[in-house]
Short mmCIF file of all heavy atoms in Angstrom, two decimals:
data_model
loop_
_atom_site.label_atom_id
_atom_site.label_comp_id
_atom_site.label_asym_id
_atom_site.label_seq_id
_atom_site.Cartn_x
_atom_site.Cartn_y
_atom_site.Cartn_z
N ASN O 920 73.99 277.13 118.62
CA ASN O 920 74.58 276.99 119.96
C ASN O 920 73.96 277.92 121.00
O ASN O 920 74.50 278.05 122.11
CB ASN O 920 76.09 277.25 119.89
CG ASN O 920 76.83 276.23 119.05
OD1 ASN O 920 76.36 275.11 118.86
ND2 ASN O 920 77.97 276.62 118.52
N THR O 921 72.86 278.57 120.65
CA THR O 921 72.22 279.52 121.58
C THR O 921 70.77 279.13 121.85
O THR O 921 69.98 278.95 120.94
CB THR O 921 72.26 280.95 121.00
OG1 THR O 921 73.62 281.36 120.86
CG2 THR O 921 71.56 281.92 121.95
N ALA O 922 70.49 278.99 123.14
CA ALA O 922 69.12 278.76 123.59
C ALA O 922 68.56 280.08 124.12
O ALA O 922 69.31 280.97 124.52
CB ALA O 922 69.08 277.69 124.68
N SER O 923 67.25 280.17 124.13
CA SER O 923 66.61 281.41 124.58
C SER O 923 65.38 281.12 125.43
O SER O 923 64.66 280.15 125.18
CB SER O 923 66.19 282.27 123.39
OG SER O 923 67.30 282.66 122.61
N LEU O 924 65.17 281.97 126.42
CA LEU O 924 63.97 281.94 127.24
C LEU O 924 63.24 283.26 127.02
O LEU O 924 63.84 284.33 127.19
CB LEU O 924 64.31 281.79 128.72
CG LEU O 924 63.13 281.88 129.69
CD1 LEU O 924 62.24 280.64 129.56
CD2 LEU O 924 63.60 282.05 131.14
N THR O 925 61.99 283.19 126.63
CA THR O 925 61.18 284.38 126.44
C THR O 925 60.09 284.44 127.49
O THR O 925 59.41 283.44 127.74
CB THR O 925 60.55 284.41 125.04
OG1 THR O 925 61.60 284.45 124.06
CG2 THR O 925 59.66 285.63 124.87
N ILE O 926 59.96 285.58 128.13
CA ILE O 926 58.88 285.83 129.07
C ILE O 926 57.98 286.89 128.44
O ILE O 926 58.42 288.01 128.18
CB ILE O 926 59.39 286.33 130.43
CG1 ILE O 926 60.49 285.40 130.97
CG2 ILE O 926 58.24 286.41 131.43
CD1 ILE O 926 61.15 285.92 132.26
N SER O 927 56.76 286.52 128.17
CA SER O 927 55.82 287.47 127.59
C SER O 927 54.88 287.98 128.67
O SER O 927 54.69 287.33 129.70
CB SER O 927 55.03 286.81 126.45
OG SER O 927 54.32 285.68 126.94
N GLY O 928 54.29 289.15 128.43
CA GLY O 928 53.39 289.73 129.42
C GLY O 928 54.05 289.85 130.78
O GLY O 928 53.51 289.42 131.79
N LEU O 929 55.22 290.45 130.80
CA LEU O 929 56.06 290.52 132.00
C LEU O 929 55.25 291.01 133.21
O LEU O 929 54.46 291.96 133.12
CB LEU O 929 57.23 291.46 131.74
CG LEU O 929 58.45 291.37 132.65
CD1 LEU O 929 59.10 289.99 132.56
CD2 LEU O 929 59.45 292.46 132.27
N GLN O 930 55.43 290.31 134.33
CA GLN O 930 54.74 290.67 135.57
C GLN O 930 55.76 290.91 136.68
O GLN O 930 56.89 290.40 136.62
CB GLN O 930 53.77 289.57 135.97
CG GLN O 930 52.67 289.30 134.96
CD GLN O 930 51.72 288.19 135.37
OE1 GLN O 930 51.86 287.60 136.44
NE2 GLN O 930 50.74 287.90 134.53
N ALA O 931 55.36 291.63 137.69
CA ALA O 931 56.26 291.96 138.80
C ALA O 931 56.85 290.71 139.44
O ALA O 931 58.01 290.69 139.83
CB ALA O 931 55.50 292.79 139.86
N GLU O 932 56.07 289.65 139.50
CA GLU O 932 56.52 288.41 140.13
C GLU O 932 57.59 287.68 139.30
O GLU O 932 58.21 286.73 139.79
CB GLU O 932 55.33 287.46 140.33
CG GLU O 932 54.71 286.95 139.03
CD GLU O 932 53.23 286.65 139.16
OE1 GLU O 932 52.51 287.52 139.69
OE2 GLU O 932 52.82 285.56 138.73
N ASP O 933 57.79 288.13 138.06
CA ASP O 933 58.82 287.50 137.23
C ASP O 933 60.22 288.01 137.56
O ASP O 933 61.21 287.47 137.05
CB ASP O 933 58.54 287.75 135.74
CG ASP O 933 57.19 287.22 135.29
OD1 ASP O 933 56.73 286.21 135.89
OD2 ASP O 933 56.60 287.79 134.36
N GLU O 934 60.30 289.06 138.38
CA GLU O 934 61.60 289.61 138.76
C GLU O 934 62.33 288.56 139.61
O GLU O 934 61.87 288.17 140.69
CB GLU O 934 61.44 290.91 139.54
CG GLU O 934 62.77 291.58 139.87
CD GLU O 934 62.61 293.05 140.22
OE1 GLU O 934 62.17 293.82 139.36
OE2 GLU O 934 62.96 293.40 141.38
N ALA O 935 63.45 288.09 139.08
CA ALA O 935 64.18 286.99 139.70
C ALA O 935 65.47 286.76 138.91
O ALA O 935 65.72 287.43 137.90
CB ALA O 935 63.35 285.71 139.70
N ASP O 936 66.28 285.82 139.38
CA ASP O 936 67.44 285.37 138.62
C ASP O 936 67.02 284.16 137.78
O ASP O 936 66.24 283.31 138.24
CB ASP O 936 68.58 284.98 139.55
CG ASP O 936 69.15 286.16 140.30
OD1 ASP O 936 69.24 287.26 139.71
OD2 ASP O 936 69.51 286.00 141.47
N TYR O 937 67.57 284.08 136.57
CA TYR O 937 67.26 282.98 135.68
C TYR O 937 68.55 282.31 135.21
O TYR O 937 69.52 282.98 134.86
CB TYR O 937 66.46 283.47 134.46
CG TYR O 937 65.06 283.91 134.83
CD1 TYR O 937 64.83 285.17 135.35
CD2 TYR O 937 63.98 283.04 134.69
CE1 TYR O 937 63.55 285.57 135.72
CE2 TYR O 937 62.70 283.42 135.05
CZ TYR O 937 62.49 284.69 135.57
OH TYR O 937 61.21 285.06 135.94
#
Side-chain angles (χ1 to χ4, degrees):
Chain O
N920 296 336
T921 298
S923 298
L924 174 71
T925 298
I926 309 174
S927 59
L929 199 61
Q930 299 179 0
E932 66 209 49
D933 300 331
E934 184 161 298
D936 293 323
Y937 291 82

